[in-house]
Amino acid sequence: MVNHPCIVQVRDVQQDKIETVKRMALKRNAEVEGVKNGLDIYFEDVNEARKFISKLKKSMKFRIKMSTKYAGLRGSRVRVLFVYSLRGF
C-alpha cells in the first residue's frame, strides 16, 4: 500500500541548489531521500507538492513531467500515485 500519494523527483541539479530544495521540502513536512542523481521527495498531499513545485519554479529552471500510477484500491475508490519529475538544465 502506498503511504505517499505524491513523489517529486529532483534530478540533475547543482549540489548547492540541492541543499536549498531539501530545506524547502522539509519546511513543508515532506520526507526527503537522497538518491544517486538528486532527491526523491515524498508528500502526503498532492496539492502541497504542487505548491512546492510552484515555489521552486520561481528560483530555478527545470523541465517538469507528470505521470500517474495505479496504487490500488481503498474501499471502493481507486488510489493514484502522482509522480513529478523535475530535471535541471
Side-chain angles (χ1 to χ4, degrees), residues 27-79:
K27 284 182 184 176
R28 295 189 174 270
N29 296 325
E31 288 183 34
V32 179
E33 181 180 312
V35 294
K36 181 181 175 184
N37 231 8
L39 297 172
D40 281 351
I41 305 168
Y42 300 92
F43 287 92
E44 293 194 20
D45 182 21
V46 176
N47 292 322
E48 193 67 29
R50 290 179 182 144
K51 289 176 191 174
F52 170 75
I53 292 169
S54 177
K55 285 262 191 203
L56 209 55
K57 277 197 315 191
K58 293 176 182 175
S59 62
M60 293 183 212
K61 291 188 176 190
F62 46 77
R63 291 184 295 271
I64 302 173
K65 287 187 181 178
M66 193 275 279
S67 64
T68 58
K69 295 180 183 177
Y70 175 75
L73 293 172
R74 175 176 278 172
S76 61
R77 296 189 59 145
V78 173
R79 288 186 47 113

Side-chain angles (χ1 to χ4, degrees), residues 9-15 18 34-40 86-87:
Q9 299 173 329
V10 181
R11 302 290 189 267
D12 302 330
V13 177
Q14 298 167 353
Q15 188 61 37
I18 284 183
V35 294
K36 181 181 175 184
N37 231 8
L39 297 172
D40 281 351
L86 312 178
R87 290 205 174 264

